[in-house]
Amino acid sequence: MGECTVSPHIFFESAHHGSSRLVVSLCMGVTPPQSMLTSMYCFCCACSLLCCAALWCAVCLQDAFGNYVVQYVLELGQTDSSRAIIMSIKGHFAELSMQKFSSNVVEKCLKLGGLDPEREIIIQELVASPLLPRLLQDSYGNYVVQSALTISSGGVHQDLVDAIKPFLPSLRGTPHGKRILQKINGKV
């Protein structure tokens, strides 16, 4: 494999200008230079598909175009890359769930197959978050909670339902709340 000629700066900039999939495609099947492997950039490579530093991943997924870069990498089904993305934003799932672009990435992380321990981390973080009441009412966060209710099972699902129960009265009168109630009633 040859050395990638796409610089991390161009990759990051492309995420903000809509050409992100092209750059990701250019990076497929090439080995990045060693200096890039140790630097703080979002970058795709053949082995792990993503050498992702928390700073750049968090910036990309909050951007109107950058979130598509992260979603695209998640959709490729590379477990190591997906795990790296999830772990790089660990501790921020609740706040990211309430933002227009990053909420799509959090939902995508929840829907990934083969990463049950990581999905449980996300759900447990949402359950423990003081932002949970806001998530339930938020125009983006409620979809993340709905996805969590849909994909969870067993004890993790019950923990999520138990965390939501104190807020059920305030959910009954809202469109977002009604969908969450339907998810709870359909599975409990």
Side-chain angles (χ1 to χ4, degrees):
M1 283 190 240
E3 191 172 284
C4 185
T5 58
V6 179
S7 76
H9 176 73
I10 292 170
F11 179 80
F12 179 71
E13 285 300 314
S14 73
H16 296 289
H17 299 293
S19 58
S20 53
R21 287 185 183 223
L22 173 63
V23 175
V24 169
S25 297
L26 289 172
C27 294
M28 297 292 291
V30 295
T31 305
Q34 186 62 33
S35 61
M36 287 185 184
L37 290 174
T38 58
S39 60
M40 299 292 285
Y41 295 102
C42 227
F43 194 79
C44 294
C45 65
C47 299
S48 67
L49 199 59
L50 185 67
C51 299
C52 182
L55 174 65
W56 286 110
C57 185
V59 169
C60 286
L61 64 88
Q62 294 178 67
D63 181 77
F65 296 110
N67 81 90
Y68 290 111
V69 173
V70 180
Q71 288 186 65
Y72 180 71
V73 172
L74 291 168
E75 288 169 1
L76 291 171
Q78 299 290 325
T79 305
D80 290 341
S81 300
S82 298
R83 186 174 292 119
I85 290 170
I86 291 170
M87 299 315 285
S88 73
I89 56 178
K90 183 180 175 187
H92 302 283
F93 289 110
E95 62 196 61
L96 292 171
S97 296
M98 293 187 292
Q99 296 175 19
K100 182 176 183 174
F101 305 117
S102 57
S103 66
N104 295 324
V105 174
V106 176
E107 275 191 83
K108 185 77 69 178
C109 289
L110 284 168
K111 294 175 180 177
L112 290 173
L115 291 170
D116 291 342
E118 287 77 11
R119 294 191 314 182
E120 286 185 16
I121 288 170
I122 297 168
I123 295 170
Q124 291 296 351
E125 187 176 311
L126 297 176
V127 165
S129 175
L131 297 174
L132 181 62
R134 284 182 49 203
L135 278 173
L136 298 170
Q137 301 287 349
D138 186 76
S139 56
Y140 305 111
N142 83 89
Y143 288 107
V144 173
V145 174
Q146 288 178 54
S147 293
L149 285 165
T150 300
I151 65 98
S152 62
S153 61
V156 175
H157 178 75
Q158 192 57 52
D159 290 346
L160 181 57
V161 170
D162 291 344
I164 294 171
K165 279 184 181 177
F167 309 105
L168 290 178
S170 65
L171 294 177
R172 295 191 202 290
T174 67
H176 305 307
K178 288 178 183 176
R179 288 188 211 104
I180 291 171
L181 286 169
Q182 288 172 342
K183 296 278 184 190
I184 290 174
N185 293 331
K187 207 164 183 182
V188 174

